Amino acid sequence: MDPHLAESPEIVELKMKTHLTVEAEPYEFTLDPASTALIVIDMQRDFILPGGFGDFLGNKVELLHPAIEPTRRVLAACRQRRLTVLYTREGHRPDLSDCPPSKRERGRLKIKIGDEGPMGRVLVRGEYGHDIIDELSPLPTETVIDKPGKGAFFATDLDLILRNIGISSLIVTGVTSEVCVQTTTREANDRGYRCLVLEDCVASYFPEFQRAALDMIKAQGGIVGWVSTSARFLDAFENLG
């Protein structure tokens, strides 16, 4: 190695101080806060509150509620450390031109996507139900990605935004674990992003799907990503000082 290219002990020590190591599965996850973003996936009223799309699908929406408080704590810590924060919302244009008929018809629901519900038109952009729950409201400076499908990279500018601001690692939170969270994590993995899913900051209407989704992400040496908890992630911040 060219000695002129070798890093000084001071630089090595500085890097060690500015990098976080999070206890995770299948092994520890190391990140540089400057190139890491927190992504909050679809924490929308339509999925989490009664009278929304999740409710119309016949789900118990309260099963998603335990993820709210851990996500709020992680969000606060990331803002304090000035990590990039992004949100996603699944929903469609008011004319439903970006909603495939097969998606609208699926489930044979009495109240479908685009129909009027207690929180406005279901999964339609600009409606009350489409927006993020109050506990996790985005700041005006934080990016919100509106997506028409399950994955946050499909038909959006998310990848372009992340690359332009130098993001290579994602801290993944949101709902639901086996649908939009897992789809987005797989899309991110295929594009070269390193993903850490915080298991208590994601949730499913089906406990068995929650476990299976997390197991699939961390299996085979982390074939899709890493899995940890909010407590371990916050501990890493505390150790940074």
Side-chain angles (χ1 to χ4, degrees), residues 138-159:
L139 298 177
T141 55
E142 292 169 344
T143 299
V144 179
I145 302 291
D146 282 320
K147 60 188 182 70
K150 307 298 187 288
F153 289 86
F154 170 69
T156 75
D157 53 5
L158 176 59
D159 188 47

Side-chain angles (χ1 to χ4, degrees), residues 135-182:
E135 296 92 328
L136 302 173
S137 291
L139 298 177
T141 55
E142 292 169 344
T143 299
V144 179
I145 302 291
D146 282 320
K147 60 188 182 70
K150 307 298 187 288
F153 289 86
F154 170 69
T156 75
D157 53 5
L158 176 59
D159 188 47
L160 179 63
I161 291 171
L162 294 176
R163 295 190 188 282
N164 284 345
I165 61 177
I167 297 299
S168 58
S169 297
L170 296 175
I171 308 302
V172 181
T173 66
V175 297
T176 60
S177 303
E178 76 281 6
V179 185
C180 296
V181 169
Q182 186 173 179

Side-chain angles (χ1 to χ4, degrees), residues 41-53:
I41 298 174
D42 297 7
M43 294 294 267
Q44 300 163 244
R45 299 185 183 102
D46 259 330
F47 294 126
I48 293 175
L49 300 184
F53 187 60

Side-chain angles (χ1 to χ4, degrees), residues 15-24 27-33 194 196 228 231-240:
K15 283 190 173 182
M16 289 177 65
K17 288 182 178 179
T18 57
H19 283 60
L20 279 71
T21 299
V22 183
E23 185 181 349
Y27 53 88
E28 68 278 356
F29 182 87
T30 302
L31 63 93
D32 176 2
R194 302 167 68 252
L196 175 66
S228 189
R232 290 173 177 173
F233 180 71
L234 295 173
D235 282 346
F237 270 140
E238 289 297 321
N239 293 334
L240 189 62

Side-chain angles (χ1 to χ4, degrees), residues 25 43 64 72 95 117 130 149 154-155 158 178 192 201 203-204 211:
E25 295 180 87
M43 294 294 267
L64 304 187
R72 189 197 64 77
D95 64 1
H130 175 258
F154 170 69
L158 176 59
E178 76 281 6
C201 295
S204 172
R211 186 73 264 155

Side-chain angles (χ1 to χ4, degrees), residues 5 21 23 64 81 89 99 111 123 143 164 173 186 192-193 198 207 219:
L5 298 178
T21 299
E23 185 181 349
L64 304 187
R81 294 285 183 175
R89 298 181 298 202
C99 181
I111 301 179
L123 284 188
T143 299
N164 284 345
T173 66
R186 289 178 180 275
Y193 296 98
L198 302 182

Side-chain angles (χ1 to χ4, degrees), residues 118-131:
M119 294 187 287
R121 294 179 67 204
V122 177
L123 284 188
V124 169
R125 297 174 188 176
E127 299 289 338
Y128 182 77
H130 175 258
D131 214 350

